[in-house]
């Protein structure tokens, strides 16, 4: 067989070496890459817990509720403190606001004199409905998904972006 | 542009010439497939480094977290189970390949001039690879890992004079624990791999420097007047490369085929037979059967030949001498000549050693205790872990252990269904308003595990009406239930208080798999799997009629007035099948006043109530029955 007819023996062996090395590399690279990138597509699995009773939330006054939650953290389950602002205009409809400013995630507070949520970091201001009324925040306050069962406000902390 | 790029690098690094020298060097003729073993070993080492590195992203080397972090890799990380299994199987592949490579080099005499140093470095690599198997084995921190390390470090402690010191150095203290794990981890991921990489580098450099050895058939030395053997060797070696192939791509193509084949086998094993952990390490276990990994079975068998005071000889002296001899092979097997006919003694000794090792390996495989049949499923084990972690025992009792604030949970599964248990754990108030039971926030996985575990406690089992019939047809010749049946095997009237349904099922199917040496025949060919499960459930339901399970504490009462006839009956009923009708031993040891002289009554009672090794726990016996039996065994001659 001449080179003009097709593969020489040497060329065939070259392809065998390169192909073999390539096959082993790909066979390993696929699972190793998937393994390494795994955290980017893992969904957080915070359990839903009851954090407050509807009776505890005064009408028209934003109330900060602190609670402890057990959160999976890798192979551990950690108990950590968390908090959320709960607002109700009528005792029937509720909104849970994530306690971090949508500008740069500073914790904000309720200013009862101004009747506004006030961020101490850069002067961001939100009304009782979570809408931006002053300062640099780019969007309204984020909210948490929740349900109410037998008067208990139950949430997993899953965020709905404002 | 490409030429400029090459020129730019070449100008600065001059990389082409050394690389081409390496790749296109001539190789002797007839270098065949056996010569791929060395590169195959290097390829699997690279696989181990890569998979091990990625496993490190999610592994925590502390006794509190090691098991859970491995479980996390197996269940929560994409391809985690695959990577872990590849790492496990590749470890075995590495041992196999390095031994085959060593054998090939030995039998072809390739350790002789000028490759003596290559051999010495290779033996060093063998030692390091076996060391990797040893240090890596502990890391999953399951029962297998803990107990195998316990035995192996115990052997290290047998070294005369310095044994205790060596053992402390290995363990990092007096007990296997936190310091041991971090120590083994550091050795396994840093010290040993770096040493192996360095020695591989030296080994490959030496192979390139001296050339790949020619097969012995091509190395017939032409010795003439005035020519030394070394000169004759050089001439013969140069001649062997005439008309030979180039390393790349000819020789390397075979390496590539073998590498692909090995990787394919490893992937098939890892995908279809993923490696899983056993139960979490339990240093207090009295029933676990440590079994060495397959590549140490020959040593396990060899140790049995040297009982008692001779054990250090087998455990330390012989292996040390063996490694020194291995290291010294190039100097013990002198001369340059490699022709088959000139090495009859070396080849014979090598053959005897290989055959001997194989025989010991097979004997070890046949006689080693089988892997423990777990009494609980992985989910139930997880639940047991949650029970411990949340400290439920502060308020609740299970089998006599725990507090009395809340109800006894020993038989909770006979009172509540799994759904009820789960609902209660999720929200106690929903089932029992104003209960004192705290509302604990379990994750879904913890809830499932705890429910599964609690559902094993006193669970009512269901069996079909066929089960008692099956017992009568296949079992009653040897076994008795409630006074009806044979006495060849143990009385099974209360077997359900000692063994789980899982264990009974495995035992009925193949007794040897659970208790090597058991005289009961296997029923996996006689009965269908459904019949075996049914029979196991029926036997599990037999908890005994008059006695309740005693707490796992040794009786402290002084021996009561012995009632030999009652104690003798008890012995015949429950013990004779393993310890002999005349107490002279059988599957279990002899139980005479003489053989039991070294054990206190409390120790014997503990073995009876808690079991030991393959012996089951007889926790259903009352304290007075145990006491009578102990006194009978210690004082009455057979």
């Amino acid at each position: 067989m001449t080179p003009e007819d097709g593969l020489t023996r040497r060329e065939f062996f070259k392809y065998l070496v390169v192909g073999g090395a390539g096959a082993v590399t790909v066979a390993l690279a696929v699972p190793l890459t998937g393994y390494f990138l795994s955290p980017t597509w893992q969904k957080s699995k915070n359990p839903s817990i009851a954090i407050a009773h509807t009776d505890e939330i005064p009408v028209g006054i934003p109330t900060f509720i602190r609670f402890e939650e057990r959160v999976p953290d890798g192979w551990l389950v950690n108990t950590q403190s968390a908090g959320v602002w709960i607002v109700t205009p009528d005792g029937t409809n509720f909104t849970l606001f994530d306690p971090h400013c949508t500008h740069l995630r500073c914790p904000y507070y309720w200013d009862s004199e101004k009747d506004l949520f006030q961020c101490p970091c850069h002067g961001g201001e939100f009304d009782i409905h979570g809408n931006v009324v002053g300062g640099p925040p780019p969007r309204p306050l984020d909210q948490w998904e929740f349900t109410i069962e037998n008067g208990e406000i139950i949430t997993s902390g899953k965020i709905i972006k404002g | 542009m490409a030429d400029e790029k090459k020129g730019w690098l070449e100008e600065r690094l001059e990389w082409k010439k050394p690389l081409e020298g390496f790749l296109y060097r001539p190789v002797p003729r007839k270098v065949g497939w056996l010569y791929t073993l060395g590169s195959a070993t290097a390829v699997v080492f690279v696989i181990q480094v890569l998979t091990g590195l990625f496993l490190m992203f999610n592994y925590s080397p502390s006794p509190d977290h090691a098991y859970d972090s491995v479980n996390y890799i197996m269940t929560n990380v994409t391809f985690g189970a695959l990577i872990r299994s590849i790492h496990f199987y590749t470890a075995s592949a590495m041992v196999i390949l390095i031994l085959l490579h060593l054998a090939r080099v030995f039998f072809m005499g390739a350790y002789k001039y000028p490759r003596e140093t290559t051999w010495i470095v290779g033996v060093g690599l063998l030692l390091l690879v076996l060391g990797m198997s040893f240090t890596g084995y502990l890391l999953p921190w399951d029962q297998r890992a803990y107990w195998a390390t316990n035995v192996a470090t115990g052997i290290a402690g047998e070294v005369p004079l310095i044994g205790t010191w060596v053992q402390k150095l290995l363990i990092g203290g007096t007990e296997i624990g936190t310091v041991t794990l971090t120590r083994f981890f550091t050795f396994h991921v840093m010290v040993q791999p770096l040493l192996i990489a360095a020695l591989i580098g030296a080994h490959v450099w030496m192979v390139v420097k001296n050339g790949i050895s020619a097969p012995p058939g091509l190395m017939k030395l032409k010795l003439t007047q005035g020519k030394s053997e070394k000169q004759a060797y050089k001439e013969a070696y140069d001649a062997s490369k005439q008309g030979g192939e180039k390393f790349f791509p000819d020789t390397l193509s075979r390496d590539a085929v073998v590498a692909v084949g090995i990787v394919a086998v490893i992937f098939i094993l890892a995908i279809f037979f993923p490696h899983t952990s056993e139960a979490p390490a339990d240093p207090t276990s009295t029933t676990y059967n440590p079994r060495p990994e397959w590549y140490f079975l020959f040593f396990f068998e060899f140790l049995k030949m040297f009982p008692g005071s001779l054990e250090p000889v087998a455990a330390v002296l012989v292996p040390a001498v063996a490694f020194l001899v291995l290291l010294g092979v190039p100097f013990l097997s002198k001369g340059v000549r490699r022709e088959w006919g000139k090495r009859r003694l070396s080849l014979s000794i090598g053959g005897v050693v290989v055959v001997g090792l194989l025989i010991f390996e097979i004997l070890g495989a046949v006689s080693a205790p089988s892997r423990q049949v777990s009494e609980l499923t992985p989910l139930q084990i997880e639940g047991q872990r949650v029970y411990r972690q949340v400290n439920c025992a502060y308020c609740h009792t299970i089998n006599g252990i725990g507090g009395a604030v809340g109800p006894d949970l020993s038989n909770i599964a006979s009172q509540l269904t799994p759904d009820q248990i789960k609902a209660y754990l999720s929200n106690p108030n929903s089932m029992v308003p104003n209960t004192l039971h705290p509302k604990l926030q379990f994750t879904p996985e913890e809830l499932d595990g705890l429910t599964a575990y609690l559902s094993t406690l006193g669970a009512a089992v269901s069996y079909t009406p066929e089960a008692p019939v099956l017992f009568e047809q296949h079992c009653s010749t040897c076994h008795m239930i409630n006074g009806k049946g044979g006495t060849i095997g143990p009385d099974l009237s209360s077997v359900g208080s000692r063994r789980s349904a899982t264990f009974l099922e495995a035992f009925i199917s193949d007794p040897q798999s659970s208790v090597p040496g058991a005289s009961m025949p296997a029923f996996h060919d006689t009965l269908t799997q459904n019949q075996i499960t049914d029979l196991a459930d029926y036997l599990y339901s037999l908890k005994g009629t008059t006695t309740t399970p005693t707490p796992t504490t040794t009786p402290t009462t002084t021996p009561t007035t012995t009632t030999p006839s009652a104690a003798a009956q008890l012995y015949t009923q429950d013990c004779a099948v393993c310890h002999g009708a005349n107490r002279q031993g059988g599957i279990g040891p002899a139980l005479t006043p003489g053989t039991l002289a070294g054990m206190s009554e409390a120790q014997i009672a503990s073995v009876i109530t808690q079991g030991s090794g393959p012996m089951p726990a007889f926790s259903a016996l009352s304290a007075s029955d145990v006491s009578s039996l102990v006194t009978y065994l210690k004082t009455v001659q057979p």
Side-chain angles (χ1 to χ4, degrees), chain B residues 389-516:
Chain B
Q389 192 179 41
V390 176
N391 206 11
C392 306
Y394 187 81
C395 296
H396 294 285
T397 296
I398 292 178
N399 293 338
I401 295 173
V405 178
D408 189 321
L409 299 177
S410 306
N411 291 294
I412 190 69
S414 62
Q415 298 154 28
L416 297 176
T417 65
D419 284 340
Q420 287 173 321
I421 292 173
K422 191 170 182 176
Y424 187 84
L425 289 170
S426 303
N427 187 1
N429 261 308
S430 68
M431 287 184 68
V432 182
N434 302 317
T435 178
L436 288 174
H437 194 292
K439 186 169 181 297
L440 298 161
Q441 290 178 33
F442 294 114
T443 64
E445 291 82 11
E446 287 177 329
L447 200 56
D448 286 342
L450 196 49
T451 303
Y453 168 58
L454 292 174
S455 300
T456 65
L457 303 175
V461 287
S462 64
Y463 50 87
T464 73
E466 196 198 357
V469 175
L470 284 171
F471 181 85
E472 203 177 313
Q473 285 172 346
H474 297 280
C475 317
S476 62
T477 308
C478 298
H479 295 282
M480 192 184 284
I481 289 178
N482 296 334
K484 220 173 142 199
T487 54
I488 300 169
D491 188 319
L492 299 178
S493 305
S494 60
V495 68
S497 63
R498 301 193 289 277
R499 292 294 190 184
S500 69
T502 313
F503 178 90
L504 289 167
E505 196 174 321
F507 191 83
I508 294 168
S509 182
D510 183 7
Q512 292 280 338
S513 71
S514 304
V515 181

Side-chain angles (χ1 to χ4, degrees), chain A:
Chain A
M1 188 190 240
T2 63
E4 289 79 23
D5 298 333
L7 274 181
T8 62
R9 191 166 169 272
R10 266 256 147 97
E11 279 168 352
F12 171 70
F13 284 151
K14 265 189 196 165
Y15 287 131
L16 209 51
V17 173
V18 172
V24 170
T25 305
V26 167
L28 286 170
V30 167
L32 289 175
T33 306
Y35 183 100
F36 183 69
L37 295 177
S38 177
T40 61
W41 53 68
Q42 266 186 358
K43 301 216 181 326
S44 73
K45 292 180 271 192
N46 288 10
S48 294
I49 53 171
I51 60 170
H53 201 278
T54 49
D55 294 344
E56 290 171 46
I57 314 299
V59 170
I61 301 174
T63 308
F64 189 72
I65 296 293
R66 276 193 185 80
F67 59 94
E68 294 221 318
E69 55 177 358
R70 294 186 73 242
V71 175
D73 175 17
W75 47 89
L76 302 175
V77 178
N78 289 332
T79 303
Q80 59 192 38
S81 297
V84 67
W85 285 100
I86 304 183
V87 173
T88 178
D90 53 14
T92 307
N93 299 297
F94 293 82
T95 309
L96 270 58
F97 288 119
D98 183 79
H100 303 103
C101 178
T102 51
H103 178 223
L104 291 174
R105 295 191 59 74
C106 288
Y108 56 84
Y109 62 92
W110 175 253
D111 189 329
S112 52
E113 284 179 9
K114 290 188 195 173
D115 272 353
L116 289 175
F117 286 115
Q118 183 78 51
C119 181
C121 289
H122 307 99
E125 290 172 335
F126 306 85
D127 65 16
I128 200 169
H129 304 292
N131 297 316
V132 180
V133 295
R139 63 176 197 276
L141 289 173
D142 295 332
Q143 297 179 25
W144 285 11
E145 274 186 7
F146 70 97
T147 56
I148 297 179
E149 285 172 32
N150 300 325
E152 297 282 349
I153 300 174
I154 297 170
T155 181
S156 67
K158 189 174 175 193
I159 287 179
I160 308 165
K161 280 214 180 303

Side-chain angles (χ1 to χ4, degrees), chain B residues 272-488:
Chain B
F272 292 104
F273 305 98
H275 181 63
T276 54
S277 297
E278 292 186 3
D282 177 9
T284 67
S285 173
T286 56
T287 58
Y288 188 76
N289 292 331
R291 176 196 163 103
E293 196 54 30
W294 70 266
Y295 36 80
F296 288 134
L297 283 171
F298 75 95
F299 190 57
F300 163 82
E301 188 64 24
F302 179 67
L303 280 175
K304 290 185 201 169
M305 291 170 57
F306 295 79
S309 57
L310 288 175
E311 209 188 323
V313 171
V316 178
L317 188 64
V318 171
V321 167
F323 261 111
L324 285 172
V325 166
L326 204 57
L327 266 178
V329 156
F331 310 103
L332 294 168
S333 169
K334 290 200 179 98
V336 173
R337 307 193 70 165
R338 292 173 52 214
E339 297 102 301
W340 299 110
K342 301 283 179 198
R343 295 181 59 231
R344 284 187 222 279
L345 181 61
S346 298
L347 295 174
S348 305
I349 294 172
V352 165
V353 168
V354 168
V355 168
L357 286 173
L358 280 173
I359 289 172
F360 274 106
E361 183 75 10
I362 292 166
L363 287 175
V366 160
S367 69
S370 15
R371 292 276 174 224
Q372 195 76 4
V373 173
S374 179
E375 300 273 347
L376 299 176
T377 64
L379 191 61
Q380 291 161 355
I381 289 169
E382 165 66 12
Q384 215 176 22
R385 189 193 64 79
V386 173
Y387 186 92
R388 261 202 311 272
Q389 192 179 41
V390 176
N391 206 11
C392 306
Y394 187 81
C395 296
H396 294 285
T397 296
I398 292 178
N399 293 338
I401 295 173
V405 178
D408 189 321
L409 299 177
S410 306
N411 291 294
I412 190 69
S414 62
Q415 298 154 28
L416 297 176
T417 65
D419 284 340
Q420 287 173 321
I421 292 173
K422 191 170 182 176
Y424 187 84
L425 289 170
S426 303
N427 187 1
N429 261 308
S430 68
M431 287 184 68
V432 182
N434 302 317
T435 178
L436 288 174
H437 194 292
K439 186 169 181 297
L440 298 161
Q441 290 178 33
F442 294 114
T443 64
E445 291 82 11
E446 287 177 329
L447 200 56
D448 286 342
L450 196 49
T451 303
Y453 168 58
L454 292 174
S455 300
T456 65
L457 303 175
V461 287
S462 64
Y463 50 87
T464 73
E466 196 198 357
V469 175
L470 284 171
F471 181 85
E472 203 177 313
Q473 285 172 346
H474 297 280
C475 317
S476 62
T477 308
C478 298
H479 295 282
M480 192 184 284
I481 289 178
N482 296 334
K484 220 173 142 199
T487 54
I488 300 169

